[in-house]
Structures are given as C-alpha cells and as structure tokens.
Amino acid sequence: MAKEPVRVLVTGAAGQIGYALVPMIARGVMLGSDQPIILHMLDIEPATEALNGVKMELVDAAFPLLIDVVATTDAMVACKGVNIAVMVGGFPRKEGMERKDVMSKNVSIYKAQASALEKQAAPDCKVLVVANPANTNALILKEFAPSIPEKNITCLTRLDHNRALGQLSERLKIHVGQVKNVIIWGNHSSTQYPDVNHATVTPTNSEEKPVRSVVADDNWLNTEFITTVQQRGAAIIKARKLSSALSAASAACDHIRDWVLGTPKG
C-alpha cells in the first residue's frame, strides 16, 4: 500500500541551496525511495520568476515521488499542513555589514515565517534551520512558534560533521562510509570543535579501530584537521566565489533522513 505523501517546505527555494536541495528531496534522498512528496517552495517577491522556473524544472524532471509542487511568495500558503520545514531563506551578510545588521534583518524574516508555521504547519512539524546565524534563527523561530515542540526545532551542524568525515576519509584514503561517530561541538562557526575522540574507522578487510590510532598523527588531528573543518566554508567561498550550496543541501537531507528514519546500528 502506498504511503501518504509528506509535505516538505523549503524556504529560499529559488536560491543556490534551494535549487540544489529540491531535486534531492523529490528524488527520495531525504525521506527514502518509497515516500511520496508534496513540495512547498517559498521565496521573496523579487524571486517570483526564478521560483516559477524552479517549479517548471521540477515538472520537467518527472520525479516519480513528486505528487505536487506549491510555489509561492506567501508564507501562510507555503506553511499550510507542512510536516517538515527546511528554512534555507535568510538575509545574507554583505560586504561592510556587521553581524548585528544581518541579525536584525533575520529577526523580522524568521518572526514572520515562525508565525506562519505556528498557524499553518502540522502540529508535529520538524524544523531544520539552515540560514545563518542558524542557532540564533532557530531561537527566534522557537519564540514565535511556541506550539511546535522545542525538540522539533533544530539547526544544521551536519555539514560540519560531513566535512570532518570527508577530511578523515581523504587522509586515510578510505571510503567515507568506513568512518563513524565523529562529533561536532558548539556553534556552526569557526569556533566549533570537531571531535574524533569517539570516532572509529573500519579499514577494508579489518576490524573497527579508533580513528586516532589509525591516523597515528595527533599533531595533524589537533591542528590542521580542526582548522580545515572550521574554515572549510570560507575556503569554498574563496574557490567558488560563492558559498557552499551542494554540500549544504546534501547535509540537510542527511540531517532530516537520520532524524525521521533513524541512524544505522552503532
């Protein structure tokens, strides 16, 4: 028997991360290859034409799991009945702006979107905040959507986690799936602490071992590894002249998938 469709909201859907994220959701990367999706996409008025272009491409891709697409600039319409909300939209920090300037802009954005979720979303809606400052935006959302359970409001650290896995797999020349139980402590910023002290690696044709013993280079783990993960976002901006989009979208899918469907044993 076919599953009931899940309504997934993506805000900022016409932006870079949104454009990378919506086909992943429609293809089943987020919720599984047997889960039908109704995709709700929200963006600001000036992005209306681009948003409609994204909707056209979703139709053209003919995703078997995609039941319907709602593309709108009205937060109340976008939030109606949603089970999962991925909050990608936010005011970006521009040259010459202080963090407090960005924060004040995002307060008004998140206050309005939280009010719409409060009134329109499913009672058990799961929320993932991606737009920076993610922790602060999540706090604003919690304040203005009090009926959504606190434990259902999260923000994205999975990208940092995945970056740490990627660095370890590159260093050890093994598949990323052979590394597990890395932890990221702290904020999604350059003050975060990537922690490998509980992490293990399972080399090909071998048993599970602590990452520290396999890497066998505490100096690298305590210095270059940490700073590379902390500053990876800045390095990508320098290389692409744009911020992380594909990897952020992939991390958002990983975050929601593991939250909804659970993690593998161990």
Side-chain angles (χ1 to χ4, degrees):
M1 187 176 163
K3 290 182 175 180
E4 281 291 305
V6 170
R7 292 180 180 271
V8 181
L9 165 66
V10 176
T11 72
Q16 273 209 96
I17 296 173
Y19 186 70
L21 178 59
V22 292
M24 293 183 187
I25 297 169
R27 197 174 280 285
V29 174
M30 180 179 277
L31 293 170
S33 58
D34 62 345
Q35 178 59 65
I37 299 289
I38 297 173
L39 196 54
H40 291 228
M41 302 193 300
L42 175 68
D43 218 310
I44 54 174
E45 289 277 355
T48 302
E49 207 172 339
L51 187 64
N52 287 334
V54 176
K55 182 177 180 178
M56 288 160 67
E57 286 207 75
L58 286 167
V59 171
D60 292 350
F63 294 109
L65 293 172
L66 191 58
I67 305 301
D68 195 12
V69 180
V70 177
T72 181
T73 57
D74 184 334
M76 296 297 276
V77 173
C79 293
K80 191 167 180 60
V82 296
N83 309 104
I84 291 165
V86 186
M87 316 299 283
V88 178
F91 193 87
R93 187 176 177 184
K94 295 176 181 174
E95 202 171 347
M97 288 181 76
E98 295 287 330
R99 278 187 186 275
K100 64 183 181 201
D101 302 326
V102 183
M103 209 169 283
S104 62
K105 295 272 189 189
N106 277 316
V107 167
S108 58
I109 292 169
Y110 273 78
K111 189 175 174 182
Q113 292 181 357
S115 300
L117 283 170
E118 172 74 12
K119 293 185 180 80
Q120 300 284 60
D124 61 347
C125 180
K126 287 180 164 62
V127 182
L128 169 60
V129 178
V130 176
N132 286 316
N135 296 47
T136 308
N137 290 341
L139 179 66
I140 296 163
L141 210 141
K142 179 183 85 75
E143 292 299 316
F144 292 100
S147 70
I148 295 177
E150 243 179 73
K151 65 182 173 60
N152 280 18
I153 298 174
T154 64
C155 56
L156 190 70
T157 314
R158 184 60 177 264
L159 177 53
D160 305 302
H161 173 265
N162 287 353
R163 285 168 172 166
L165 293 180
Q167 289 304 305
L168 291 168
S169 71
E170 292 261 291
R171 177 78 176 191
L172 296 171
K173 296 181 171 52
I174 57 169
H175 184 261
V176 71
Q178 293 171 269
V179 187
K180 68 178 185 183
N181 296 346
V182 171
I183 302 170
I184 303 292
W185 299 103
N187 199 356
H188 172 65
S189 72
S190 59
T191 60
Q192 67 177 265
Y193 181 72
D195 177 5
V196 300
N197 293 312
H198 305 274
T200 61
V201 59
T202 309
T204 309
N205 303 322
S206 183
E207 59 189 32
E208 189 174 285
K209 296 172 182 174
V211 159
R212 278 201 181 270
S213 69
V214 179
V215 171
D217 187 344
D218 278 351
N219 183 54
W220 180 79
L221 285 170
N222 296 337
T223 56
E224 189 185 332
F225 165 73
I226 290 173
T227 55
T228 299
V229 176
Q230 287 173 334
Q231 296 165 16
R232 188 67 162 185
I236 286 168
I237 290 171
K238 189 177 178 185
R240 289 188 74 224
K241 310 297 181 271
L242 294 163
S243 58
S244 309
L246 184 156
S247 55
S250 182
C253 285
D254 291 344
H255 177 118
I256 296 290
R257 186 183 63 248
D258 286 348
W259 190 5
V260 174
L261 302 178
T263 53
K265 191 178 179 186

